[in-house]
Amino acid sequence: GAGVSQSPSNKVTEKGKDVELRCDPISGHTALYWYRQRLGQGLEFLIYFQGNSAPDKSGLPSDRFSAERTGESVSTLTIQRTQQEDSAVYLCASSHALRTQYFGPGTRLLVL
Amino acid sequence: GQQVMQIPQYQHVQEGEDFTTYCNSSTTLSNIQWYKQRPGGHPVFLIQLVKSGEVKKQKRLTFQFGEAKKNSSLHITATQTTDVGTYFCAAGTPYGQNFVFGPGTRLSVLP
């Protein structure tokens, strides 16, 4: 596709449920990033994938968060046993390593 | 760990006034990127600076990278209402594999 796409665009879930967020990066981009942005706040780095290297998971806030990426394609971010504090916009970005990051539209997650 | 600060956190200006946001890092950077996020939108890349003391211009926007490669600034001349949004710097370190985003400066432009 022409840009980074994310799905779903909005997700409302109940506390304690698991959610899975999807990111389709720009074709050919080797790097993929996940960020969390709470309302009115900055970007909080979560995880970074670069090619077949081990991902940088240093930003994941707890073991309830995990992410996978197969090769240089789709990535999924999974949040288990969601909490109200997980409510935020989850942004995905892709790039050629350490170059311009192209952001997707984000998934707005609301945990009730 | 690396810290990236931005000041001011908020800035309200009258249309036509100038605006500057500053980005400061606790460590020496390999490069720095600037992004703009419109209200309700996602961050959009503006520019990347790599060289010490580098200055780049995009129309009314002027970007600078400090000589020590620890700070950067974005200056907007004669702001317009279309400049409204949050401006983020993203710091790349010599050894890291990702960028650290600053908290952003939110710009409001009053017509």
Side-chain angles (χ1 to χ4, degrees):
Chain A
V4 178
S5 60
Q6 292 185 246
S7 61
S9 54
N10 293 281
K11 178 70 176 180
V12 181
T13 190
E14 293 179 347
K15 178 180 174 181
K17 300 284 189 182
D18 296 353
V19 295
E20 188 172 281
L21 313 180
R22 177 187 170 107
C23 173
D24 283 89
I26 292 173
S27 178
H29 279 186
T30 56
L32 187 147
Y33 307 76
W34 281 98
Y35 297 92
R36 179 170 68 181
Q37 187 174 35
R38 292 195 169 101
L39 186 63
Q41 302 298 311
L43 296 170
E44 179 185 358
F45 166 75
L46 297 177
I47 190 169
Y48 163 75
F49 296 90
Q50 171 56 46
N52 294 318
S53 301
D56 178 352
K57 303 180 180 180
S58 60
L60 294 179
S62 77
D63 58 8
R64 296 186 296 106
F65 287 73
S66 63
E68 293 183 350
R69 187 186 188 196
T70 304
E72 296 181 356
S73 61
V74 170
S75 176
T76 56
L77 175 69
T78 302
I79 308 174
Q80 295 178 311
R81 305 181 302 282
T82 52
Q83 304 293 313
Q84 289 181 334
E85 68 212 39
D86 299 334
S87 296
V89 176
Y90 289 82
L91 290 161
C92 172
S94 73
S95 76
H96 289 297
L98 299 182
R99 296 184 186 177
T100 305
Q101 294 183 51
Y102 294 88
F103 283 81
T107 293
R108 285 165 175 74
L109 175 65
L110 177 61
V111 182
L112 302 176
Chain B
Q2 181 188 19
Q3 292 187 338
V4 179
M5 309 297 292
Q6 278 187 258
I7 54 172
Q9 186 177 5
Y10 302 97
Q11 185 77 58
H12 304 278
V13 300
Q14 203 73 34
E15 188 173 20
E17 291 182 338
D18 293 354
F19 159 76
T20 304
T21 174
Y22 300 90
C23 177
N24 298 294
S25 169
S26 57
T27 60
T28 301
L29 306 174
S30 60
N31 54 20
I32 196 159
Q33 297 177 342
W34 285 92
Y35 291 79
K36 176 184 178 181
Q37 184 176 28
R38 294 180 185 273
H42 57 273
V44 175
F45 175 81
L46 294 177
I47 207 155
Q48 175 166 287
L49 305 171
V50 179
K51 299 176 182 177
S52 170
E54 187 170 14
V55 178
K56 286 189 177 180
K57 292 189 176 184
Q58 289 179 350
K59 297 182 179 179
R60 294 179 295 104
L61 278 60
T62 301
F63 304 84
Q64 291 188 330
F65 201 7
E67 294 289 341
K69 299 184 76 173
K70 285 188 172 184
N71 55 70
S72 180
S73 66
L74 159 58
H75 179 81
I76 303 178
T77 304
T79 54
Q80 300 176 359
T81 55
T82 53
D83 296 326
V84 166
T86 302
Y87 293 84
F88 294 99
C89 63
T93 64
Y95 307 107
Q97 295 300 312
N98 60 60
F99 286 86
V100 177
F101 277 77
T105 295
R106 189 177 303 174
L107 173 65
S108 297
V109 180
L110 304 175

